[in-house]
């Protein structure tokens, strides 16, 4: 009896999942159609703006503005990377200066040791 109940349970689960898949497929169709409608509306608005720009003698203004915004965003990214590189270089310079100072300390101590040992002789 438990095998039959298990098979019925699996059958019911399968039917529920199949129904859910059908619902999701239908929703995908609706969303695809909505995306097409929105793209068409966007293109119509873009054409309307373009014709209004031409009427007012400022053809290409929106395109220029969009390009400027893209360039500004790219410049911001570049400036951020540049700042990171400068920080890295500053850190590296500090480390090098510290290493040089340590070497000078060691060489000064060695020179004093050599000088005192040569005076003792």
């Amino acid at each position: 009896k438990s095998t039959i109940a298990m098979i019925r349970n699996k059958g019911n689960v399968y039917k529920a999942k199949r129904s859910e898949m059908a619902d999701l497929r239908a929703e995908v169709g609706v969303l695809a159609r909505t995306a097409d409608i929105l793209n068409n509306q966007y293109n119509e608005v873009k054409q309307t703006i373009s014709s209004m720009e031409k009427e007012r003698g400022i053809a290409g203004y929106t395109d220029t503005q969009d390009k400027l915004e893209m360039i500004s965003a790219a410049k911001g990214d570049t400036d951020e990377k540049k700042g990171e590189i400068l920080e890295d270089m500053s850190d590296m310079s500090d480390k090098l200066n510290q290493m040089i100072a340590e070497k000078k300390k060691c060489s000064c101590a060695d020179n004093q040791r050599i000088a005192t040992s040569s005076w003792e002789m």
Side-chain angles (χ1 to χ4, degrees), residues 9 27 36 39 66 72 83 87 89 91-92 100 109 115 117 121:
N9 187 26
E27 190 171 345
D36 288 340
N39 280 331
D66 291 343
S72 178
E87 285 179 25
M89 290 176 75
D91 291 343
M92 200 180 302
I100 291 170
S117 66
M121 290 184 170

Side-chain angles (χ1 to χ4, degrees), residues 10-90:
K10 285 187 179 188
N12 290 336
V13 169
Y14 172 76
K15 288 176 185 177
K17 296 290 182 183
R18 188 174 60 184
S19 174
E20 187 179 346
M21 288 284 292
D23 291 344
L24 290 172
R25 284 188 185 113
E27 190 171 345
V28 166
V30 169
L31 291 174
R33 179 66 182 134
T34 303
D36 288 340
I37 290 170
L38 290 174
N39 280 331
N40 289 337
Q41 288 177 349
Y42 172 75
N43 290 332
E44 289 174 7
V45 168
K46 196 171 177 181
Q47 287 175 351
T48 303
I49 290 172
S50 178
S51 65
M52 289 173 74
E53 286 175 352
K54 286 179 185 176
E55 287 175 6
R56 295 191 172 117
I58 54 171
Y61 174 78
T62 304
D63 293 334
T64 303
Q65 186 177 9
D66 291 343
K67 288 178 185 176
L68 284 173
E69 288 175 4
M70 286 175 36
I71 290 170
S72 178
K75 183 185 179 300
D77 293 342
T78 303
D79 288 346
E80 187 176 321
K81 288 178 185 176
K82 186 172 150 185
E84 291 173 2
I85 290 171
L86 286 174
E87 285 179 25
D88 289 344
M89 290 176 75
S90 177

